[in-house]
Amino acid sequence: MNNNILIIDDEEAIIELMDIYLTNEGYNVYKAYNGKSGLEILSQNDIDLVVLDIMMPGIDGLQVCKIIREDNNIPIIMLSSKSQDIDKILGLGIGADDYMVKPFNPMELIARIKSQVRRYLYLNKSNNQNHSNNIITVKGLVINKNNHKVTLYDELINLTPTEYKILLLLASNLGTVFSTEEIFEKIWEEKYFESNNTVMVHIWRLREKIEGNPKEPKLIETVWGVGYKIED
């Protein structure tokens, strides 16, 4: 079964170009030229990934991302003509899984879409499995690998696929310190480059969701100069 990709962008030329590339790769493409239409398509169809432009009239991409994240964990790749780090941090900070700057190489976007869809499907393919060792419990946090649900003191925590993968990596290796580079290369399956703050942003988002005080984390600990860990 082909995966469904939703592209939300007010630039028709970009949508039509990506439609050609994605269709050639075997994806089903849904097209929306503004945020409102994109949200309507998402509510009516089984979408596996959203490619979302930030700068749009009406409801901009940041608002659309926030709305999607209220009850949906599908991967979101943001597009923007802004290349400043603060713009990338803002996009990732509200729930995007990846960020690309316009103009972009279509084949690079295809590669990132494939990576995100593969990761998303991997997280959801074992829903019907039932093995006791697929439950991880640490400090009130429960990670159920069978249905990919995370609870903290019995309260459901809504995580994006990327946040879940990072948390699962750390919780599955209690006491092990992972550097920013190691986390990036294991989760994104790409080469890490200096000044890449993607991991830092996702760790902060995770802490906001699972820590009582994100500035004084008790679960995801920082080992200064080394990386991050979760202790039993």
Side-chain angles (χ1 to χ4, degrees):
M1 181 172 139
N2 294 342
N3 300 118
N4 298 327
I5 309 299
L6 170 60
I7 306 176
I8 308 175
D9 197 313
D10 63 335
E11 296 186 54
E12 185 174 349
I14 287 181
I15 288 187
E16 296 307 319
L17 176 65
M18 291 313 305
D19 185 14
I20 294 172
Y21 277 90
L22 288 167
T23 300
N24 287 340
E25 292 290 334
Y27 292 104
N28 298 321
V29 179
Y30 291 78
K31 298 178 281 188
Y33 301 98
N34 57 67
K36 182 180 179 181
S37 297
L39 291 171
E40 290 175 354
I41 292 173
L42 182 62
S43 69
Q44 298 168 6
N45 298 276
D46 185 15
I47 301 298
D48 297 300
L49 180 142
V50 176
V51 178
L52 176 62
D53 183 36
I54 290 182
M55 302 297 290
M56 294 186 294
I59 307 175
D60 66 21
L62 296 177
Q63 291 174 292
V64 173
C65 185
K66 288 179 181 178
I67 293 171
I68 293 175
R69 279 292 174 254
E70 287 177 0
D71 57 9
N72 203 315
N73 287 332
I74 60 174
I76 298 173
I77 298 179
M78 277 196 160
L79 304 179
S80 176
S81 57
K82 297 181 178 180
S83 60
Q84 298 298 319
D85 278 349
I86 187 62
D87 299 308
K88 182 174 182 179
I89 291 172
L90 182 60
L92 295 172
I94 63 169
D97 295 283
D98 205 347
Y99 184 105
M100 288 195 69
V101 177
K102 294 179 179 181
F104 55 85
N105 183 325
M107 293 310 298
E108 181 182 355
L109 179 56
I110 293 293
R112 296 195 184 194
I113 288 172
K114 287 182 177 180
S115 176
Q116 290 291 340
V117 169
R118 183 169 61 247
R119 187 177 307 127
Y120 177 65
L121 294 179
Y122 172 79
L123 292 177
N124 288 280
K125 73 178 181 179
S126 61
N127 280 348
N128 296 322
Q129 294 178 350
N130 186 21
H131 302 290
S132 61
N133 62 351
N134 278 346
I135 305 294
I136 299 174
T137 303
V138 54
K139 296 179 179 177
L141 188 73
V142 177
I143 303 172
N144 188 327
K145 295 197 289 183
N146 296 321
N147 57 20
H148 309 108
K149 289 186 177 180
V150 176
T151 59
L152 182 63
Y153 299 114
D154 295 325
E155 181 180 346
L156 184 64
I157 306 298
N158 189 23
L159 301 180
T160 67
T162 302
E163 291 167 354
Y164 176 87
K165 284 281 284 184
I166 294 173
L167 183 63
L168 183 61
L169 173 67
L170 297 175
S172 298
N173 299 274
L174 297 177
T176 301
V177 181
F178 288 90
S179 67
T180 299
E181 178 178 352
E182 288 174 321
I183 294 173
F184 184 88
E185 294 185 352
K186 286 179 181 293
I187 302 303
W188 278 266
E189 301 175 1
E190 297 177 11
K191 182 68 177 176
Y192 178 84
F193 296 98
E194 287 187 22
S195 79
N196 189 327
N197 48 31
T198 302
V199 171
M200 179 191 70
V201 173
H202 280 82
I203 291 289
W204 175 252
R205 279 169 43 192
L206 258 175
R207 284 173 168 167
E208 285 188 315
K209 294 180 179 182
I210 67 175
E211 302 280 2
N213 180 359
K215 295 181 179 180
E216 297 181 6
K218 305 297 183 184
L219 280 165
I220 301 179
E221 302 178 31
T222 299
V223 180
W224 295 108
V226 184
Y228 304 95
K229 68 174 180 176
I230 293 179
E231 286 283 2
D232 195 353

